[in-house]
Amino acid sequence: MKKILNYINGEYCEPFSGDWLDNYNPSKGEVYSKIAFSSSVDVEKAYKAAKEAFPSWSNTTAEERSNTLLKIASLIEENLEELAIAEALDNGKPLSLAKAVDIPRASSNFRFFGHAITQFASEAHESVGLNTMNFTIRQPIGVVGCISPWNLPLYLFTWKIAPALAAGNTVVAKPSEITPMTAYLLGDICTKAGLPKGVLNIVHGTGPSAGQAIVSHPDIKAISFTGGTKTGEHIARTAAPMFKKLSLELGGKNPNLIFADCNYDKMLSVTVRSSFANQGQICLCGSRIFVEKSIYEKFKTDFVAKVKELKVGNPFEADTNIGALVSKPHLEKVKSYIDLAKEEGGKILFGGNQVTVEGSENGYYLEPTIIEILDYQCRVNQEEIFGPVVTIMPFETEEEVLKMANSVKYGLSATLWTSNLDRTMRVSKQLESGIVWVNTWLNRDLRTPFGGIKSSGVGREGGFEALKFFTEAKNVCIKYD
Ligand code: NAD
């Protein structure tokens, strides 16, 4: 059976423990490979390689680092087919989605930060009268840790690694143990691109073992983490006493606000996507849909009709819209929220059932599920489900919908549908979230700040924000006569 090995100091290697975890293919519900079960010993080995590589890598010119990153981007593109198949097999997402979104975006991450680093400048402040010139040096931090989740595996793994490397750091990274395959394949791509040994080290294994070892390592000075809010809390608690720099991209329970004056047809088709893309397993999915009362009944009928058309099936079939959920425990968790919705007075308008796919009977498939549930404060409307489940409810006024939208502890993204410019400004400003999409969804320009407020995280990624995170700013003040 295929073994997913660690990638340390430019070489693939087995974990020190000799232990392996099972890696499941969610579309079949079968173990199909083994994952290195790494411990603090492997993390230490990765740290040492990164530490040794740091002086040389941090002293390369921005152009040299840029060239290497652009080569990695091109190699990801050249291997798009293989990587997309690996992603679909490992995660359960439709192959069409992996081909159109996940892998192209992984390549864009390297290409974008390969270019961005050549434009990353720092400020100078001359104090005329005091006869001083201040300038800011932005220096790489050293060895940094990057930890990523399972929903967009290579996409989010590279979203952290690319800016960390561009800024001149060396990296110890851990992908999710639920979807490690494409991160494993990235090692080989980096070697082919000529990334020097030890600059990027990839350690596989569980959060409590390998992940915890990265976070608690005293000399890994910054942690960029994307994952659940509970894990983020734990990481913050571990890292705070060591005064590590932290970037935390956490969970969401995003509202979708639909006003009667919107472009209805466009809203309807995008709302199907923002609800169920990637089986609803995107931190940015709009899982709470608020619809203005005057169009509520029409929306309900049309939305259910559109969602009925979605095909749940094998990720490798071209017409599949919704693949398998990522794991059995996750499927059970999502199903438990559907049961809870019924207890909380919700009415299932569509879906709610596990699906048996012919030829893949043990796969983790679930119908896209629409629940009408009017209490915006019930658990189903407050807790992150992270699956193909949305709730819908009507509202009458802006004030009312803002109160409901902002009632959750999360604040990652929000979507607003209206053609009224005044409303767009008023509502965007009052929504408690790091991102507001107006008349669109998941529209990403990589230069923009990305991140959440409240329990959705701390810090921003994207563009120069990410390069600022991965550098320390030093003020040099020169007095002249
Ligand atoms: P998770 O928190 O369980 O795991 C994320 C990563 O953290 C994995 O690599 C895991 O092994 C590691 N980890 C777990 N415990 C750890 C510990 N004690 N120390 C160090 N590392 C540890 O999250 P998940 O289930 O993989 O992902 C789903 C969650 O991620 C959802 O809540 C989703 O909203 C969130 N997410 C957020 C964003 C964002 O940009 N804000 C993007 C994608 C996913």
Side-chain angles (χ1 to χ4, degrees):
M1 199 173 270
K2 175 100 185 145
K3 280 180 170 173
I4 294 179
L5 302 164
N6 290 333
Y7 176 75
I8 298 177
N9 207 25
E11 276 159 26
Y12 283 114
C13 51
E14 301 214 344
F16 179 77
S17 65
D19 293 337
W20 302 87
L21 298 161
D22 288 336
N23 190 25
Y24 283 82
N25 162 2
S27 62
K28 295 262 183 208
E30 287 167 358
V31 175
Y32 82 107
S33 57
K34 294 282 176 191
I35 314 163
F37 190 168
S38 309
S39 67
S40 56
V41 180
D42 304 282
V43 169
E44 186 58 29
K45 186 173 156 191
Y47 166 73
K48 285 203 170 115
K51 187 178 176 214
E52 206 171 306
F54 179 70
S56 155
W57 180 248
S58 58
N59 276 304
T60 50
T61 63
E63 285 71 21
E64 283 174 279
R65 293 198 300 281
S66 170
N67 285 339
T68 309
L69 264 63
L70 297 181
K71 274 187 206 149
I72 297 174
S74 299
L75 283 168
I76 292 175
E77 253 162 38
E78 282 168 32
N79 291 283
L80 187 141
E81 188 75 24
E82 183 201 351
L83 289 165
I85 291 171
E87 204 71 293
L89 199 64
D90 216 25
N91 174 280
K93 68 178 67 208
L95 176 61
S96 55
L97 188 71
K99 270 189 187 172
V101 177
D102 292 75
I103 308 307
R105 175 58 191 275
S107 170
S108 299
N109 289 339
F110 278 104
R111 197 171 298 288
F112 174 81
F113 284 107
H115 289 303
I117 195 61
T118 65
Q119 306 299 314
F120 186 48
S122 56
E123 316 81 37
H125 302 92
E126 184 175 12
S127 309
V128 178
L130 294 177
N131 283 4
T132 55
M133 173 58 96
N134 289 275
F135 61 92
T136 309
I137 306 183
R138 289 206 162 264
Q139 293 173 305
I141 298 168
V143 180
V144 299
C146 298
I147 301 176
S148 58
W150 50 255
N151 63 325
L152 300 165
L154 194 63
Y155 173 137
L156 289 175
F157 193 59
T158 54
W159 180 233
K160 299 180 174 306
I161 289 169
L165 297 178
N169 301 283
T170 54
V171 175
V172 177
K174 192 193 91 62
S176 169
E177 64 275 31
I178 300 170
T179 53
M181 187 57 93
T182 46
Y184 163 73
L185 297 172
L186 182 68
D188 195 32
I189 287 176
C190 289
T191 302
K192 286 194 179 121
L195 189 73
K197 283 178 190 293
V199 171
L200 171 64
N201 304 278
I202 302 169
V203 179
H204 294 277
T206 65
S209 180
Q212 181 70 24
I214 294 173
V215 175
S216 54
H217 195 293
D219 296 314
I220 297 181
K221 298 288 186 200
I223 304 290
S224 175
F225 169 80
T226 299
T229 294
K230 269 257 158 299
T231 316
E233 244 177 77
H234 177 79
I235 289 177
R237 230 177 277 131
T238 310
M242 289 180 270
F243 304 107
K244 293 187 186 216
K245 254 185 136 175
L246 274 187
S247 170
L248 301 173
E249 299 292 343
L250 310 175
K253 185 76 177 172
N254 310 308
N256 183 357
L257 285 64
I258 300 171
F259 285 87
D261 61 15
C262 70
N263 176 332
Y264 186 85
D265 292 341
K266 192 170 135 202
M267 173 279 295
L268 191 64
S269 64
V270 176
T271 295
V272 172
R273 239 174 18 93
S274 69
S275 303
F276 300 115
N278 204 39
Q279 297 70 248
Q281 303 168 143
I282 302 181
C283 53
L284 306 163
C285 278
S287 54
R288 292 177 298 147
I289 306 177
F290 301 101
V291 187
E292 193 167 358
K293 202 166 180 186
S294 59
I295 57 165
Y296 184 67
E297 289 305 322
K298 175 173 166 53
F299 174 82
K300 243 165 67 172
T301 310
D302 295 345
F303 187 54
V304 168
K306 278 242 175 223
V307 172
K308 260 187 195 161
E309 289 169 11
L310 297 176
K311 185 189 154 196
V312 179
N314 187 315
F316 293 92
E317 281 170 16
D319 59 347
T320 289
N321 303 109
I322 299 192
L325 269 66
V326 77
S327 69
K328 185 146 179 69
H330 189 58
L331 172 71
E332 296 305 330
K333 178 193 145 182
V334 176
K335 279 167 51 187
S336 76
Y337 273 102
I338 297 172
D339 293 340
L340 178 65
K342 292 176 195 157
E343 283 167 32
E344 290 187 322
K347 183 172 162 200
I348 312 287
L349 299 181
F350 183 74
N353 303 305
Q354 203 171 330
V355 177
T356 305
V357 170
E358 212 187 310
S360 303
E361 284 75 10
N362 295 324
Y364 315 134
Y365 300 93
L366 187 66
E367 286 174 328
T369 301
I370 307 168
I371 306 170
E372 181 179 55
I373 187 161
L374 305 180
D375 175 6
Y376 70 95
Q377 288 177 311
C378 68
R379 281 184 56 203
V380 167
N381 270 328
Q382 292 286 318
E383 297 174 16
E384 186 184 43
I385 302 175
F386 213 53
V389 178
V390 291
T391 59
I392 68 171
M393 70 216 76
F395 69 87
E396 288 189 64
T397 63
E398 255 178 55
E399 197 185 15
E400 181 194 8
V401 73
L402 276 165
K403 182 173 154 199
M404 296 196 290
N406 290 338
S407 68
V408 294
K409 69 174 183 173
Y410 298 103
L412 187 53
S413 70
T415 306
L416 168 62
W417 289 96
T418 178
S419 35
N420 179 320
L421 183 59
D422 295 325
R423 191 195 324 274
T424 299
M425 285 308 299
R426 273 194 311 270
V427 176
S428 301
K429 286 182 75 168
Q430 290 178 82
L431 279 166
E432 293 171 2
S433 65
I435 302 154
V436 178
W437 278 297
V438 182
N439 300 331
T440 184
W441 176 72
L442 201 56
N443 202 325
R444 294 279 298 120
D445 179 324
L446 302 190
R447 292 170 299 182
T448 58
F450 178 91
I453 62 170
K454 295 158 76 176
S455 297
S456 290
V458 180
R460 292 292 179 273
E461 298 185 328
F464 291 151
E465 298 282 343
L467 295 176
K468 282 184 179 163
F469 174 75
F470 283 116
T471 49
E472 286 287 6
K474 181 186 285 175
N475 171 235
V476 178
C477 176
I478 304 172
K479 169 90 175 145
Y480 57 88
D481 291 326

